[in-house]
Amino acid sequence: MWARRQLHETTIHRIDAEAAAGRRTVPATDVAADGIDELLTCFVTRRRSRFRLDPPRRIAVEAVDLEEAAWTLTISLEPIVTVPGADPAADLLVRGPASDLYLWLWNRAPADGLDVKGDPALLAAWREHVQVSWS
């Protein structure tokens, strides 16, 4: 668990440092896929996560460059529930290469270039409410 956490902590810090220097860092596909999984199954599902919606809404995320790299999140008044697979009936479907999804999900890049279908308000809500912190 700690090796995984440190991999993504270091990756995000590098992305931020490179961005400050005017460069864009793109994580390797396998690192990005694992970082997406960590965020969607470990961080946003915590009880103290601030992202809550009523009525419940669903966001599906799919990495198009990997097999079985897809998730569906249900956001309600309870902690987020994430299950494997991208439900095509979700309120929002976001598809793209794992590295681009990683940067968007961790709020390091806009959704430009991703295939986005569904409610754009959910896209904006993600950016507003999902911010990883240890405080």
Side-chain angles (χ1 to χ4, degrees), residues 26-107:
V26 178
T29 301
D30 59 337
V31 170
D34 187 68
I36 293 166
D37 187 72
E38 181 192 39
L39 181 68
L40 299 183
T41 64
C42 298
F43 278 102
V44 300
T45 58
R46 295 182 300 174
R47 287 208 158 278
R48 64 183 222 204
S49 172
R50 296 178 291 148
F51 196 9
R52 302 281 199 265
L53 293 173
D54 186 25
R57 309 297 302 278
R58 290 182 305 136
I59 299 175
V61 176
E62 183 178 10
V64 298
D65 50 347
L66 293 167
E67 289 184 35
E68 299 183 32
W71 305 261
T72 298
L73 294 77
T74 301
I75 303 113
S76 68
L77 293 177
E78 298 298 320
I80 293 172
V81 174
T82 301
V83 296
D87 183 344
D91 300 293
L92 177 67
L93 172 61
V94 183
R95 300 177 74 234
S99 59
D100 291 345
L101 288 170
Y102 181 86
L103 295 172
W104 169 68
L105 288 164
W106 284 90
N107 287 319

Side-chain angles (χ1 to χ4, degrees), residues 1-10 38 43 106 134:
M1 177 262 183
W2 282 112
R4 180 187 206 192
R5 176 78 296 272
Q6 289 306 301
L7 168 65
H8 299 299
E9 183 78 14
T10 303
E38 181 192 39
F43 278 102
W106 284 90
W134 290 102

